[in-house]
Structure formats: structure tokens, C-alpha cells
Amino acid sequence: MSTVTDILTAAGGPEIIAKRLPRKVSKSGGKVDRVSTVYKWKKLGIPERHWPLLMKLSEEITLERLFEANRHARGEKMPRKRKAEAAREAA
């Protein structure tokens, strides 16, 4: 199973990812701490708008892994795989 931590590690770590994120300004006019934003993904899941960036940073990161990691971070249960599907993936 993939977790958000696994994804962040594969992409080079929160600091590397944060440097690649677009700069944002908060509603109050201050700068947004992008490193803190990336660390929050561990609890909130990775926003889908950032998935293309993460897939560019590592070939290990796929849509399936991102989807699985987000479901895990958000506490959603993964559907059980059928025995036939599990056998095919193991082969």
C-alpha cells in the first residue's frame, strides 16, 4: 500500500516538492509557507492539482499510487481485491 509519506519520499521530500509548487499569497496578503503545506498533505491527502508535478518528480509515482495514498490519508477504506486480481498482480 502507498501512503502519502511514501509518495513524498519518492518525489524527493517535502522541501524539494515545496520549491516546485507555485508561489501563493494568503488572503491576508502574507506569503504561504509551502513546506508546511506539503507536510499537511500527510493528514489531508495530496490535492489532485499537484499530482502531475509529483508524477514528473518520480517515475515511481502513478495515478493509482496517488489515489491509494489519498484514500489512506483520508481514512477511506480500500475495496478488497478479488482473489483473481490479486493473483494476476502477484504474477
Coordinates of all heavy atoms in Angstrom, one line a residue:
M1 N 0.8 -1.2 0.0 CA 0.0 0.0 0.0 C 0.9 1.2 0.0 O 1.9 1.3 0.7 CB -0.9 0.0 1.2 CG -1.6 1.3 1.5 SD -2.8 1.4 2.8 CE -2.1 0.5 4.1
S2 N 0.5 2.2 -0.8 CA 1.2 3.5 -0.8 C 0.6 4.5 0.2 O -0.6 4.5 0.4 CB 1.1 4.1 -2.2 OG 1.8 3.4 -3.1
T3 N 1.5 5.2 0.9 CA 1.0 6.3 1.8 C 1.5 7.6 1.3 O 2.4 7.6 0.4 CB 1.6 6.1 3.2 OG1 3.0 6.2 3.2 CG2 1.2 4.7 3.8
V4 N 1.0 8.7 1.8 CA 1.4 10.0 1.4 C 2.9 10.1 1.7 O 3.7 10.7 0.9 CB 0.6 11.1 2.0 CG1 1.2 12.5 1.7 CG2 -0.9 11.1 1.5
T5 N 3.3 9.6 2.8 CA 4.8 9.7 3.2 C 5.6 9.0 2.1 O 6.7 9.5 1.7 CB 5.0 9.0 4.5 OG1 4.2 9.7 5.5 CG2 6.5 9.1 4.9
D6 N 5.2 7.8 1.6 CA 5.9 7.1 0.5 C 6.0 8.0 -0.7 O 7.0 8.0 -1.4 CB 5.2 5.8 0.2 CG 5.1 4.8 1.3 OD1 6.0 4.8 2.2 OD2 4.2 3.9 1.3
I7 N 4.9 8.6 -1.1 CA 4.9 9.5 -2.2 C 5.8 10.7 -2.1 O 6.6 11.0 -3.0 CB 3.4 10.0 -2.5 CG1 2.4 8.9 -2.7 CG2 3.4 11.0 -3.6 CD1 2.6 8.1 -4.0
L8 N 5.8 11.3 -0.9 CA 6.6 12.5 -0.7 C 8.1 12.0 -0.7 O 8.9 12.8 -1.3 CB 6.3 13.1 0.7 CG 4.9 13.7 0.8 CD1 4.7 14.3 2.2 CD2 4.6 14.7 -0.3
T9 N 8.4 10.9 -0.2 CA 9.8 10.4 -0.2 C 10.2 10.1 -1.6 O 11.4 10.5 -2.0 CB 9.9 9.1 0.7 OG1 9.6 9.5 2.0 CG2 11.3 8.6 0.6
A10 N 9.4 9.5 -2.4 CA 9.7 9.1 -3.8 C 9.9 10.4 -4.6 O 10.8 10.4 -5.6 CB 8.6 8.2 -4.4
A11 N 9.2 11.5 -4.3 CA 9.4 12.7 -5.1 C 10.5 13.6 -4.6 O 10.7 14.6 -5.2 CB 8.1 13.5 -5.0
G12 N 11.3 13.1 -3.6 CA 12.4 13.9 -3.1 C 12.3 14.6 -1.8 O 13.2 15.2 -1.3
G13 N 11.1 14.5 -1.2 CA 10.9 15.0 0.1 C 10.1 16.3 0.1 O 10.1 17.0 -1.0
P14 N 9.5 16.7 1.2 CA 8.7 17.9 1.3 C 9.4 19.2 0.8 O 8.8 20.0 0.2 CB 8.3 18.0 2.7 CG 8.3 16.6 3.2 CD 9.5 16.0 2.5
E15 N 10.7 19.4 1.2 CA 11.4 20.6 0.8 C 11.5 20.7 -0.7 O 11.4 21.8 -1.3 CB 12.7 20.7 1.5 CG 12.7 20.8 3.0 CD 12.4 19.5 3.8 OE1 12.5 18.4 3.2 OE2 12.0 19.6 5.0
I16 N 11.9 19.6 -1.4 CA 12.1 19.6 -2.8 C 10.7 19.9 -3.5 O 10.6 20.7 -4.4 CB 12.6 18.3 -3.3 CG1 14.0 18.0 -2.7 CG2 12.7 18.2 -4.8 CD1 15.1 19.0 -3.1
I17 N 9.7 19.3 -3.0 CA 8.4 19.4 -3.6 C 7.9 20.9 -3.4 O 7.4 21.5 -4.3 CB 7.3 18.5 -3.0 CG1 7.7 17.0 -3.3 CG2 5.9 18.8 -3.4 CD1 7.0 16.0 -2.4
A18 N 8.1 21.4 -2.2 CA 7.7 22.8 -1.9 C 8.3 23.8 -2.8 O 7.7 24.8 -3.2 CB 8.0 23.1 -0.4
K19 N 9.6 23.6 -3.2 CA 10.3 24.5 -4.1 C 9.6 24.5 -5.5 O 9.7 25.5 -6.2 CB 11.8 24.1 -4.2 CG 12.6 24.4 -3.0 CD 14.0 24.0 -3.2 CE 14.8 24.2 -1.9 NZ 16.2 23.8 -2.0
R20 N 9.0 23.4 -5.8 CA 8.4 23.3 -7.2 C 6.9 23.8 -7.2 O 6.4 23.9 -8.3 CB 8.5 21.9 -7.7 CG 9.9 21.3 -7.7 CD 10.7 21.8 -8.9 NE 10.2 21.6 -10.2 CZ 10.4 20.5 -10.9 NH1 11.2 19.6 -10.5 NH2 9.8 20.4 -12.1
L21 N 6.3 24.0 -6.0 CA 5.0 24.4 -6.0 C 4.9 25.9 -6.4 O 5.8 26.7 -6.2 CB 4.4 24.3 -4.6 CG 4.1 22.9 -4.1 CD1 3.7 22.9 -2.6 CD2 3.2 22.1 -4.9
P22 N 3.7 26.3 -7.0 CA 3.6 27.7 -7.3 C 3.5 28.6 -6.1 O 3.0 28.1 -5.1 CB 2.3 27.8 -8.1 CG 1.6 26.5 -7.9 CD 2.6 25.5 -7.4
R23 N 4.1 29.8 -6.2 CA 4.0 30.7 -5.0 C 2.6 31.2 -4.9 O 1.9 31.5 -5.8 CB 5.0 31.8 -5.2 CG 6.4 31.4 -5.3 CD 7.3 32.6 -5.5 NE 8.7 32.3 -5.8 CZ 9.6 32.0 -4.9 NH1 9.3 32.1 -3.6 NH2 10.8 31.7 -5.2
K24 N 2.2 31.3 -3.6 CA 0.8 31.8 -3.3 C 0.9 32.8 -2.2 O 1.8 32.8 -1.4 CB -0.1 30.6 -2.8 CG -0.5 29.7 -3.9 CD -1.6 28.8 -3.5 CE -2.1 28.0 -4.6 NZ -3.3 27.2 -4.3
V25 N -0.1 33.7 -2.3 CA -0.2 34.7 -1.2 C -1.5 34.4 -0.5 O -2.6 34.1 -1.1 CB -0.3 36.1 -1.9 CG1 -0.5 37.2 -0.8 CG2 1.0 36.3 -2.6
S26 N -1.5 34.5 0.8 CA -2.7 34.2 1.6 C -3.7 35.3 1.4 O -3.4 36.4 0.9 CB -2.4 34.0 3.1 OG -1.9 35.3 3.6
K27 N -4.9 35.1 1.9 CA -6.0 36.1 1.8 C -5.6 37.4 2.5 O -6.0 38.5 2.2 CB -7.3 35.6 2.3 CG -7.9 34.5 1.4 CD -9.2 34.0 2.0 CE -9.7 32.8 1.1 NZ -10.9 32.3 1.6
S28 N -4.8 37.3 3.6 CA -4.4 38.4 4.4 C -3.2 39.2 3.7 O -2.7 40.2 4.2 CB -4.0 38.0 5.8 OG -2.9 37.1 5.8
G29 N -2.7 38.6 2.6 CA -1.6 39.3 1.9 C -0.2 38.7 2.2 O 0.8 39.1 1.7
G30 N -0.1 37.8 3.2 CA 1.2 37.2 3.6 C 1.5 36.0 2.7 O 0.7 35.5 2.0
K31 N 2.8 35.7 2.7 CA 3.3 34.5 2.0 C 2.8 33.2 2.6 O 2.8 33.1 3.9 CB 4.8 34.5 1.8 CG 5.3 35.6 1.0 CD 6.8 35.6 0.8 CE 7.3 36.7 0.0 NZ 8.8 36.7 -0.1
V32 N 2.5 32.2 1.8 CA 2.2 30.9 2.3 C 3.4 30.1 2.5 O 4.2 30.0 1.6 CB 1.2 30.2 1.4 CG1 0.9 28.8 1.8 CG2 -0.1 31.0 1.3
D33 N 3.6 29.4 3.6 CA 4.7 28.5 3.8 C 4.5 27.2 3.1 O 3.7 26.4 3.5 CB 4.9 28.3 5.3 CG 6.1 27.4 5.6 OD1 6.9 27.0 4.7 OD2 6.3 27.0 6.8
R34 N 5.1 27.1 2.0 CA 4.9 25.9 1.1 C 5.4 24.6 1.7 O 4.7 23.6 1.5 CB 5.5 26.1 -0.3 CG 4.8 27.3 -1.0 CD 5.4 27.5 -2.4 NE 6.7 28.2 -2.2 CZ 7.6 28.3 -3.1 NH1 7.4 27.9 -4.3 NH2 8.8 28.9 -2.9
V35 N 6.4 24.6 2.5 CA 6.9 23.4 3.2 C 5.8 22.9 4.1 O 5.5 21.7 4.2 CB 8.3 23.6 3.8 CG1 8.7 22.3 4.6 CG2 9.3 24.0 2.8
S36 N 5.3 23.8 4.9 CA 4.2 23.4 5.9 C 3.0 22.9 5.1 O 2.4 21.9 5.6 CB 3.8 24.6 6.7 OG 4.8 25.0 7.6
T37 N 2.7 23.4 4.0 CA 1.6 23.0 3.2 C 1.8 21.5 2.8 O 0.9 20.7 2.9 CB 1.5 23.9 1.9 OG1 1.2 25.2 2.4 CG2 0.4 23.4 1.0
V38 N 3.0 21.2 2.3 CA 3.3 19.8 1.9 C 3.2 18.9 3.1 O 2.7 17.8 2.9 CB 4.7 19.7 1.2 CG1 5.1 18.3 0.9 CG2 4.7 20.6 -0.1
Y39 N 3.7 19.3 4.2 CA 3.6 18.4 5.4 C 2.2 18.1 5.8 O 1.8 17.0 6.3 CB 4.4 19.0 6.6 CG 5.9 18.6 6.6 CD1 6.8 19.6 6.3 CD2 6.3 17.4 6.8 CE1 8.2 19.3 6.2 CE2 7.7 17.1 6.8 CZ 8.6 18.0 6.5 OH 9.9 17.7 6.5
K40 N 1.3 19.1 5.6 CA -0.1 18.9 5.9 C -0.8 17.8 5.0 O -1.8 17.2 5.4 CB -0.9 20.2 5.7 CG -0.6 21.2 6.8 CD -1.3 22.5 6.6 CE -0.8 23.6 7.5 NZ -1.4 24.9 7.3
W41 N -0.2 17.6 3.9 CA -0.8 16.5 3.0 C -0.8 15.2 3.6 O -1.6 14.3 3.3 CB 0.0 16.5 1.7 CG 0.0 17.7 0.8 CD1 -0.9 18.8 1.0 CD2 0.7 17.9 -0.3 NE1 -0.6 19.7 0.0 CE2 0.4 19.2 -0.9 CE3 1.7 17.2 -1.0 CZ2 0.9 19.7 -2.0 CZ3 2.3 17.8 -2.1 CH2 1.9 19.0 -2.6
K42 N 0.1 14.9 4.6 CA 0.1 13.6 5.3 C -1.2 13.3 6.0 O -1.6 12.2 6.0 CB 1.2 13.5 6.3 CG 2.6 13.5 5.6 CD 3.7 13.5 6.6 CE 5.1 13.5 6.0 NZ 6.2 13.4 6.9
K43 N -1.9 14.4 6.4 CA -3.2 14.2 7.1 C -4.4 14.4 6.2 O -5.4 13.8 6.3 CB -3.3 15.1 8.3 CG -2.4 14.7 9.4 CD -2.7 15.6 10.6 CE -1.8 15.1 11.8 NZ -2.1 15.9 13.0
L44 N -4.2 15.4 5.3 CA -5.3 15.8 4.4 C -5.4 15.1 3.1 O -6.4 15.2 2.4 CB -5.2 17.3 4.2 CG -5.1 18.2 5.4 CD1 -4.9 19.7 5.0 CD2 -6.4 18.1 6.2
G45 N -4.3 14.5 2.7 CA -4.2 13.9 1.3 C -3.6 15.0 0.4 O -3.5 16.1 0.7
I46 N -3.1 14.5 -0.8 CA -2.4 15.4 -1.7 C -3.5 15.9 -2.7 O -4.2 15.2 -3.3 CB -1.4 14.6 -2.5 CG1 -0.3 14.0 -1.6 CG2 -0.7 15.5 -3.6 CD1 0.6 12.9 -2.2
P47 N -3.6 17.3 -2.8 CA -4.6 17.9 -3.7 C -4.3 17.4 -5.1 O -3.2 17.3 -5.6 CB -4.3 19.4 -3.6 CG -3.7 19.6 -2.2 CD -2.8 18.3 -2.0
E48 N -5.4 17.0 -5.8 CA -5.3 16.5 -7.2 C -4.5 17.4 -8.1 O -3.9 17.0 -9.0 CB -6.6 16.1 -7.7 CG -7.2 14.8 -7.1 CD -7.9 15.1 -5.7 OE1 -7.9 16.3 -5.2 OE2 -8.3 14.1 -5.1
R49 N -4.6 18.7 -7.9 CA -4.0 19.7 -8.8 C -2.5 19.5 -8.8 O -1.8 20.0 -9.7 CB -4.4 21.1 -8.5 CG -3.9 21.6 -7.2 CD -4.4 23.1 -6.9 NE -4.1 23.5 -5.6 CZ -4.8 23.3 -4.5 NH1 -6.0 22.7 -4.6 NH2 -4.4 23.8 -3.3
H50 N -1.9 18.9 -7.7 CA -0.5 18.7 -7.6 C 0.0 17.4 -8.1 O 1.2 17.1 -8.2 CB 0.0 19.0 -6.2 CG -0.3 20.3 -5.7 ND1 0.2 21.5 -6.4 CD2 -1.0 20.8 -4.6 CE1 -0.2 22.5 -5.7 NE2 -0.9 22.1 -4.7
W51 N -0.9 16.5 -8.5 CA -0.5 15.1 -8.9 C 0.4 15.2 -10.1 O 1.4 14.4 -10.1 CB -1.7 14.3 -9.2 CG -2.5 13.9 -8.0 CD1 -2.4 14.4 -6.7 CD2 -3.5 12.9 -7.9 NE1 -3.3 13.7 -5.9 CE2 -4.0 12.8 -6.6 CE3 -4.1 12.1 -8.8 CZ2 -5.0 12.0 -6.2 CZ3 -5.1 11.2 -8.4 CH2 -5.5 11.2 -7.1
P52 N 0.2 16.0 -11.2 CA 1.1 16.0 -12.3 C 2.5 16.4 -11.9 O 3.5 15.8 -12.4 CB 0.5 17.0 -13.3 CG -1.0 17.1 -12.9 CD -1.0 16.8 -11.4
L53 N 2.7 17.3 -11.0 CA 4.0 17.7 -10.5 C 4.7 16.5 -9.9 O 5.9 16.2 -10.2 CB 4.0 18.8 -9.6 CG 5.2 19.1 -8.8 CD1 6.3 19.6 -9.7 CD2 5.0 20.1 -7.7
L54 N 4.0 15.8 -9.0 CA 4.6 14.7 -8.3 C 5.0 13.6 -9.3 O 6.0 12.9 -9.1 CB 3.7 14.2 -7.2 CG 3.4 15.2 -6.1 CD1 2.4 14.6 -5.2 CD2 4.7 15.5 -5.3
M55 N 4.2 13.3 -10.3 CA 4.5 12.3 -11.3 C 5.7 12.7 -12.1 O 6.4 11.8 -12.6 CB 3.3 12.0 -12.1 CG 2.2 11.2 -11.3 SD 0.8 10.6 -12.3 CE 0.1 12.1 -12.9
K56 N 5.9 14.0 -12.3 CA 7.1 14.4 -13.0 C 8.4 14.2 -12.2 O 9.4 14.0 -12.7 CB 7.0 15.9 -13.4 CG 6.0 16.1 -14.6 CD 6.0 17.6 -14.8 CE 5.0 17.9 -15.9 NZ 4.8 19.4 -16.1
L57 N 8.2 14.3 -10.9 CA 9.4 14.2 -10.0 C 9.9 12.8 -9.8 O 11.0 12.6 -9.4 CB 9.1 14.8 -8.6 CG 8.9 16.4 -8.6 CD1 8.4 16.8 -7.2 CD2 10.1 17.1 -9.0
S58 N 9.0 11.8 -10.0 CA 9.4 10.4 -9.9 C 8.6 9.5 -10.8 O 7.4 9.6 -10.8 CB 9.3 10.0 -8.4 OG 9.6 8.6 -8.3
E59 N 9.3 8.6 -11.5 CA 8.6 7.6 -12.3 C 7.8 6.6 -11.4 O 6.9 5.9 -11.9 CB 9.5 6.9 -13.2 CG 10.1 7.8 -14.3 CD 11.1 7.1 -15.2 OE1 11.2 5.9 -15.1 OE2 11.7 7.8 -16.0
E60 N 8.2 6.5 -10.2 CA 7.5 5.5 -9.2 C 6.1 6.0 -8.9 O 5.3 5.2 -8.5 CB 8.3 5.4 -7.9 CG 9.7 4.8 -8.0 CD 10.4 4.9 -6.6 OE1 9.7 4.7 -5.6 OE2 11.6 5.1 -6.6
I61 N 5.8 7.2 -9.1 CA 4.6 7.8 -8.7 C 3.6 7.7 -9.8 O 3.8 8.3 -10.9 CB 4.7 9.2 -8.2 CG1 5.7 9.3 -7.0 CG2 3.3 9.8 -7.8 CD1 6.0 10.7 -6.6
T62 N 2.5 7.0 -9.6 CA 1.5 6.8 -10.6 C 0.1 7.3 -10.1 O 0.0 7.5 -8.9 CB 1.3 5.3 -10.9 OG1 0.9 4.6 -9.7 CG2 2.6 4.7 -11.4
L63 N -0.8 7.4 -11.0 CA -2.2 7.8 -10.5 C -2.7 6.9 -9.5 O -3.4 7.3 -8.5 CB -3.1 7.9 -11.7 CG -2.9 9.1 -12.7 CD1 -3.8 9.0 -13.9 CD2 -3.1 10.4 -12.0
E64 N -2.5 5.6 -9.7 CA -3.0 4.6 -8.8 C -2.4 4.7 -7.4 O -3.1 4.7 -6.4 CB -2.7 3.2 -9.3 CG -3.5 2.8 -10.6 CD -2.9 3.4 -11.9 OE1 -1.7 3.8 -11.8 OE2 -3.6 3.4 -12.9
R65 N -1.1 5.0 -7.3 CA -0.5 5.2 -6.0 C -1.0 6.4 -5.3 O -1.2 6.5 -4.1 CB 1.0 5.2 -6.2 CG 1.7 3.8 -6.5 CD 3.2 3.9 -6.4 NE 3.6 4.1 -5.0 CZ 4.8 4.4 -4.7 NH1 5.7 4.6 -5.6 NH2 5.1 4.6 -3.4
L66 N -1.1 7.5 -6.1 CA -1.6 8.8 -5.5 C -3.1 8.6 -5.0 O -3.4 9.0 -3.9 CB -1.6 9.9 -6.6 CG -0.2 10.4 -6.9 CD1 -0.2 11.1 -8.2 CD2 0.3 11.3 -5.8
F67 N -3.9 7.9 -5.8 CA -5.3 7.7 -5.4 C -5.3 6.9 -4.1 O -6.0 7.2 -3.1 CB -6.0 7.0 -6.5 CG -7.5 6.7 -6.2 CD1 -8.4 7.7 -6.2 CD2 -7.9 5.4 -5.8 CE1 -9.7 7.5 -5.9 CE2 -9.2 5.1 -5.5 CZ -10.1 6.2 -5.6
E68 N -4.5 5.8 -4.1 CA -4.5 4.9 -2.9 C -4.0 5.7 -1.7 O -4.5 5.5 -0.5 CB -3.6 3.7 -3.2 CG -3.5 2.7 -2.1 CD -2.5 1.6 -2.5 OE1 -2.5 1.1 -3.7 OE2 -1.8 1.1 -1.6
A69 N -2.9 6.5 -1.8 CA -2.3 7.2 -0.7 C -3.3 8.2 -0.2 O -3.5 8.4 1.1 CB -1.1 7.9 -1.2
N70 N -4.1 8.9 -1.0 CA -5.1 9.8 -0.6 C -6.2 9.2 0.2 O -6.7 9.7 1.2 CB -5.6 10.6 -1.8 CG -4.9 11.9 -2.0 OD1 -3.9 12.2 -1.4 ND2 -5.3 12.7 -3.0
R71 N -6.6 8.0 -0.3 CA -7.7 7.3 0.4 C -7.2 6.9 1.8 O -8.0 7.0 2.8 CB -8.2 6.1 -0.4 CG -9.0 6.5 -1.6 CD -9.6 5.4 -2.3 NE -10.7 4.9 -1.4 CZ -11.6 4.1 -1.8 NH1 -11.7 3.7 -3.0 NH2 -12.6 3.7 -0.9
H72 N -6.0 6.5 1.9 CA -5.4 6.1 3.2 C -5.4 7.3 4.1 O -5.7 7.2 5.3 CB -4.1 5.4 2.9 CG -3.4 4.9 4.2 ND1 -2.5 5.7 4.9 CD2 -3.6 3.8 4.9 CE1 -2.2 5.0 6.0 NE2 -2.8 3.8 6.0
A73 N -4.9 8.4 3.6 CA -4.7 9.6 4.4 C -6.0 10.1 4.9 O -6.1 10.6 6.0 CB -4.0 10.7 3.6
R74 N -7.1 10.0 4.1 CA -8.4 10.5 4.5 C -9.2 9.5 5.2 O -10.4 9.7 5.5 CB -9.1 11.0 3.2 CG -8.4 12.1 2.5 CD -8.9 12.5 1.2 NE -8.1 13.6 0.6 CZ -8.1 13.9 -0.6 NH1 -8.9 13.3 -1.5 NH2 -7.4 14.9 -1.1
G75 N -8.6 8.3 5.5 CA -9.3 7.3 6.3 C -10.4 6.5 5.6 O -11.2 5.9 6.2
E76 N -10.3 6.6 4.2 CA -11.3 5.8 3.4 C -10.8 4.4 3.3 O -9.6 4.1 3.1 CB -11.5 6.4 2.1 CG -12.0 7.9 2.1 CD -12.0 8.6 0.8 OE1 -11.9 7.9 -0.3 OE2 -12.1 9.8 0.8
K77 N -11.7 3.5 3.4 CA -11.4 2.0 3.2 C -11.2 1.7 1.8 O -11.9 2.2 0.9 CB -12.4 1.1 3.8 CG -12.5 1.3 5.3 CD -13.5 0.3 5.9 CE -13.5 0.4 7.4 NZ -14.4 -0.5 8.0
M78 N -10.2 0.9 1.5 CA -9.9 0.4 0.2 C -10.8 -0.8 -0.1 O -10.9 -1.6 0.8 CB -8.4 0.1 0.0 CG -7.5 1.2 0.1 SD -7.7 2.5 -1.1 CE -7.2 1.6 -2.6
P79 N -11.3 -0.9 -1.3 CA -12.1 -2.1 -1.6 C -11.2 -3.3 -1.6 O -10.0 -3.2 -2.0 CB -12.7 -1.8 -3.0 CG -11.9 -0.7 -3.5 CD -11.3 0.0 -2.4
R80 N -11.7 -4.4 -1.1 CA -10.9 -5.6 -1.2 C -10.7 -6.1 -2.6 O -11.7 -6.1 -3.4 CB -11.6 -6.7 -0.3 CG -11.5 -6.4 1.1 CD -12.1 -7.6 1.9 NE -12.1 -7.2 3.3 CZ -12.1 -8.1 4.3 NH1 -12.0 -9.4 4.0 NH2 -12.1 -7.7 5.5
K81 N -9.6 -6.6 -2.9 CA -9.3 -7.2 -4.2 C -9.8 -8.6 -4.3 O -9.8 -9.3 -3.3 CB -7.8 -7.1 -4.5 CG -7.3 -5.8 -4.7 CD -5.8 -5.8 -5.1 CE -5.3 -4.4 -5.2 NZ -3.9 -4.4 -5.5
R82 N -10.3 -8.9 -5.4 CA -10.7 -10.3 -5.6 C -9.5 -11.2 -5.7 O -8.4 -10.7 -6.1 CB -11.5 -10.4 -6.9 CG -12.8 -9.6 -6.9 CD -13.6 -9.8 -8.2 NE -14.6 -8.8 -8.2 CZ -15.1 -8.3 -9.4 NH1 -14.6 -8.7 -10.5 NH2 -16.0 -7.4 -9.3
K83 N -9.6 -12.4 -5.4 CA -8.5 -13.3 -5.4 C -7.9 -13.4 -6.8 O -6.6 -13.4 -6.9 CB -8.9 -14.7 -5.0 CG -9.3 -14.8 -3.5 CD -9.6 -16.2 -3.1 CE -10.0 -16.3 -1.7 NZ -10.4 -17.7 -1.3
A84 N -8.7 -13.4 -7.9 CA -8.1 -13.4 -9.2 C -7.3 -12.2 -9.5 O -6.2 -12.3 -10.1 CB -9.3 -13.6 -10.2
E85 N -7.8 -11.0 -9.1 CA -7.0 -9.8 -9.3 C -5.7 -9.8 -8.6 O -4.6 -9.5 -9.1 CB -7.8 -8.6 -8.9 CG -8.9 -8.2 -9.7 CD -9.6 -7.0 -9.2 OE1 -9.0 -6.0 -8.8 OE2 -10.9 -7.0 -9.1
A86 N -5.7 -10.3 -7.3 CA -4.5 -10.3 -6.5 C -3.5 -11.3 -7.1 O -2.3 -11.1 -7.1 CB -4.9 -10.7 -5.1
A87 N -4.0 -12.4 -7.6 CA -3.1 -13.4 -8.3 C -2.4 -12.9 -9.5 O -1.2 -13.1 -9.7 CB -3.9 -14.7 -8.6
R88 N -3.2 -12.1 -10.3 CA -2.6 -11.5 -11.5 C -1.5 -10.5 -11.2 O -0.5 -10.4 -11.8 CB -3.7 -10.8 -12.3 CG -4.4 -11.8 -13.3 CD -5.4 -11.0 -14.2 NE -6.6 -11.2 -13.5 CZ -7.6 -10.4 -13.5 NH1 -7.6 -9.3 -14.2 NH2 -8.7 -10.6 -12.8
E89 N -1.8 -9.7 -10.2 CA -0.8 -8.7 -9.8 C 0.5 -9.3 -9.2 O 1.5 -8.8 -9.3 CB -1.4 -7.7 -8.8 CG -2.4 -6.8 -9.4 CD -2.9 -5.8 -8.4 OE1 -2.5 -5.7 -7.3 OE2 -3.9 -5.0 -8.8
A90 N 0.3 -10.4 -8.5 CA 1.5 -11.1 -7.9 C 2.3 -11.8 -9.0 O 3.5 -12.0 -8.8 CB 1.0 -12.1 -6.9
A91 N 1.7 -12.1 -10.1 CA 2.5 -12.8 -11.2 C 3.4 -12.0 -11.9 O 3.5 -10.8 -12.0 CB 1.5 -13.5 -12.1

